Short mmCIF file of all heavy atoms in Angstrom, two decimals:
data_model
loop_
_atom_site.label_atom_id
_atom_site.label_comp_id
_atom_site.label_asym_id
_atom_site.label_seq_id
_atom_site.Cartn_x
_atom_site.Cartn_y
_atom_site.Cartn_z
N ILE B 263 41.25 0.35 -86.64
CA ILE B 263 41.16 -0.83 -85.78
C ILE B 263 42.17 -0.63 -84.67
O ILE B 263 41.87 -0.77 -83.40
CB ILE B 263 41.39 -2.24 -86.49
CG1 ILE B 263 40.39 -2.48 -87.45
CG2 ILE B 263 41.51 -3.33 -85.49
CD1 ILE B 263 40.69 -3.60 -88.44
N ARG B 264 43.40 -0.23 -84.92
CA ARG B 264 44.48 0.04 -84.08
C ARG B 264 44.18 1.06 -83.08
O ARG B 264 44.20 1.04 -81.81
CB ARG B 264 45.77 0.32 -84.73
CG ARG B 264 46.91 0.60 -83.74
CD ARG B 264 48.14 1.06 -84.38
NE ARG B 264 48.79 0.08 -85.30
CZ ARG B 264 48.89 0.01 -86.58
NH1 ARG B 264 48.33 1.16 -87.27
NH2 ARG B 264 49.35 -0.87 -87.32
N SER B 265 43.52 2.19 -83.66
CA SER B 265 43.15 3.28 -82.82
C SER B 265 41.95 2.98 -81.77
O SER B 265 42.04 3.43 -80.60
CB SER B 265 42.56 4.49 -83.75
OG SER B 265 42.03 5.53 -82.96
N ARG B 266 41.04 2.14 -82.22
CA ARG B 266 39.90 1.76 -81.36
C ARG B 266 40.45 0.80 -80.23
O ARG B 266 40.04 1.03 -79.01
CB ARG B 266 38.86 1.15 -82.09
CG ARG B 266 38.09 2.01 -82.98
CD ARG B 266 37.29 3.16 -82.21
NE ARG B 266 37.25 4.31 -83.04
CZ ARG B 266 37.92 5.39 -82.98
NH1 ARG B 266 38.99 5.44 -82.18
NH2 ARG B 266 37.76 6.44 -83.68
N LEU B 267 41.33 -0.07 -80.57
CA LEU B 267 41.93 -1.00 -79.53
C LEU B 267 42.74 -0.14 -78.47
O LEU B 267 42.65 -0.39 -77.31
CB LEU B 267 42.75 -2.04 -80.15
CG LEU B 267 42.02 -3.02 -80.98
CD1 LEU B 267 43.00 -4.09 -81.71
CD2 LEU B 267 41.03 -3.89 -80.10
N LEU B 268 43.50 0.74 -79.02
CA LEU B 268 44.34 1.57 -78.23
C LEU B 268 43.51 2.48 -77.26
O LEU B 268 43.80 2.64 -76.07
CB LEU B 268 45.33 2.32 -78.94
CG LEU B 268 46.44 3.20 -78.09
CD1 LEU B 268 47.22 2.21 -77.28
CD2 LEU B 268 47.33 3.95 -79.17
N GLU B 269 42.50 2.97 -77.81
CA GLU B 269 41.49 3.77 -76.99
C GLU B 269 40.91 3.01 -75.81
O GLU B 269 40.81 3.62 -74.74
CB GLU B 269 40.38 4.24 -77.94
CG GLU B 269 39.43 5.27 -77.31
CD GLU B 269 38.34 5.67 -78.40
OE1 GLU B 269 37.30 5.10 -78.40
OE2 GLU B 269 38.62 6.61 -79.08
N ILE B 270 40.59 1.75 -76.07
CA ILE B 270 39.99 0.82 -74.98
C ILE B 270 41.10 0.70 -73.87
O ILE B 270 40.71 0.95 -72.65
CB ILE B 270 39.70 -0.51 -75.54
CG1 ILE B 270 38.45 -0.36 -76.40
CG2 ILE B 270 39.37 -1.49 -74.45
CD1 ILE B 270 38.16 -1.60 -77.24
N MET B 271 42.40 0.42 -74.20
CA MET B 271 43.34 0.23 -73.31
C MET B 271 43.79 1.58 -72.57
O MET B 271 44.13 1.57 -71.36
CB MET B 271 44.62 -0.33 -73.98
CG MET B 271 44.41 -1.73 -74.41
SD MET B 271 45.83 -2.70 -74.49
CE MET B 271 45.16 -4.32 -74.54
N LYS B 272 43.75 2.67 -73.32
CA LYS B 272 44.12 3.94 -72.59
C LYS B 272 43.04 4.33 -71.54
O LYS B 272 43.32 5.00 -70.65
CB LYS B 272 44.18 4.95 -73.75
CG LYS B 272 45.39 5.02 -74.61
CD LYS B 272 46.76 5.29 -73.83
CE LYS B 272 47.89 5.37 -74.63
NZ LYS B 272 49.08 5.68 -73.99
N GLY B 273 41.80 3.84 -71.89
CA GLY B 273 40.76 4.22 -70.86
C GLY B 273 40.88 3.54 -69.57
O GLY B 273 40.28 3.87 -68.58
N ALA B 274 41.83 2.45 -69.57
CA ALA B 274 42.04 1.79 -68.26
C ALA B 274 43.46 1.97 -67.80
O ALA B 274 43.97 1.20 -66.87
CB ALA B 274 41.66 0.29 -68.47
N GLU B 275 44.24 2.79 -68.43
CA GLU B 275 45.58 2.95 -68.16
C GLU B 275 45.90 3.62 -66.76
O GLU B 275 45.10 4.44 -66.35
CB GLU B 275 46.25 3.88 -69.15
CG GLU B 275 47.78 3.77 -69.27
CD GLU B 275 48.32 4.49 -70.44
OE1 GLU B 275 47.66 5.47 -70.94
OE2 GLU B 275 49.56 4.30 -70.85
N ARG B 276 46.92 3.11 -66.14
CA ARG B 276 47.32 3.65 -64.73
C ARG B 276 47.71 5.08 -64.90
O ARG B 276 48.45 5.42 -65.93
CB ARG B 276 48.41 2.79 -64.16
CG ARG B 276 48.04 1.51 -63.69
CD ARG B 276 49.23 0.72 -63.06
NE ARG B 276 49.79 1.45 -61.91
CZ ARG B 276 49.31 1.20 -60.69
NH1 ARG B 276 48.41 0.32 -60.48
NH2 ARG B 276 49.76 1.84 -59.69
N LYS B 277 47.43 5.87 -63.86
CA LYS B 277 47.80 7.26 -63.83
C LYS B 277 49.07 7.47 -62.93
O LYS B 277 49.53 8.59 -62.81
CB LYS B 277 46.65 8.14 -63.38
CG LYS B 277 45.35 7.93 -64.16
CD LYS B 277 45.48 8.19 -65.63
CE LYS B 277 44.31 8.11 -66.38
NZ LYS B 277 44.26 8.12 -67.91
N SER B 278 49.50 6.44 -62.27
CA SER B 278 50.56 6.57 -61.38
C SER B 278 51.60 5.50 -61.52
O SER B 278 51.22 4.45 -61.93
CB SER B 278 50.13 6.66 -59.87
OG SER B 278 49.33 5.43 -59.59
N ASP B 279 52.83 5.83 -61.10
CA ASP B 279 53.84 4.68 -61.16
C ASP B 279 53.58 3.65 -60.15
O ASP B 279 53.33 3.82 -58.97
CB ASP B 279 55.23 5.33 -60.92
CG ASP B 279 56.43 4.47 -60.77
OD1 ASP B 279 56.27 3.42 -61.41
OD2 ASP B 279 57.41 4.73 -60.23
N PHE B 280 53.70 2.30 -60.62
CA PHE B 280 53.49 1.19 -59.68
C PHE B 280 54.45 1.17 -58.54
O PHE B 280 53.99 0.95 -57.40
CB PHE B 280 53.46 -0.04 -60.46
CG PHE B 280 53.13 -1.28 -59.62
CD1 PHE B 280 51.89 -1.71 -59.40
CD2 PHE B 280 54.27 -2.08 -58.99
CE1 PHE B 280 51.51 -2.82 -58.65
CE2 PHE B 280 53.92 -3.14 -58.27
CZ PHE B 280 52.63 -3.53 -58.05
N ILE B 281 55.58 1.51 -58.71
CA ILE B 281 56.74 1.37 -57.74
C ILE B 281 56.52 2.46 -56.79
O ILE B 281 56.42 2.30 -55.57
CB ILE B 281 58.11 1.26 -58.36
CG1 ILE B 281 58.33 0.02 -59.19
CG2 ILE B 281 59.17 1.35 -57.13
CD1 ILE B 281 59.61 -0.01 -59.89
N GLY B 282 56.52 3.74 -57.31
CA GLY B 282 56.23 4.88 -56.50
C GLY B 282 57.29 5.06 -55.35
O GLY B 282 58.19 4.39 -55.18
N GLN B 283 56.98 6.06 -54.46
CA GLN B 283 57.84 6.34 -53.32
C GLN B 283 57.09 5.98 -51.95
O GLN B 283 55.90 5.96 -51.94
CB GLN B 283 58.16 7.89 -53.32
CG GLN B 283 58.86 8.27 -54.55
CD GLN B 283 60.32 7.71 -54.71
OE1 GLN B 283 60.99 7.52 -53.73
NE2 GLN B 283 60.67 7.29 -55.79
N GLY B 284 57.83 5.82 -50.97
CA GLY B 284 57.29 5.58 -49.69
C GLY B 284 56.87 4.06 -49.46
O GLY B 284 56.97 3.19 -50.36
N LYS B 285 56.36 3.68 -48.23
CA LYS B 285 56.02 2.32 -47.90
C LYS B 285 54.65 2.08 -48.58
O LYS B 285 53.81 2.82 -48.45
CB LYS B 285 55.96 2.15 -46.36
CG LYS B 285 57.44 2.39 -45.77
CD LYS B 285 57.32 2.33 -44.27
CE LYS B 285 57.21 1.00 -43.58
NZ LYS B 285 58.63 0.31 -43.56
#
Side-chain angles (χ1 to χ4, degrees):
I263 297 169
R264 181 185 292 117
S265 174
R266 289 299 151 261
L267 291 176
L268 188 57
E269 187 179 89
I270 288 166
M271 291 201 161
K272 288 288 186 179
E275 196 172 23
R276 285 180 65 89
K277 307 302 180 187
S278 60
D279 178 24
F280 181 84
I281 296 176
Q283 299 298 319
K285 296 171 84 74

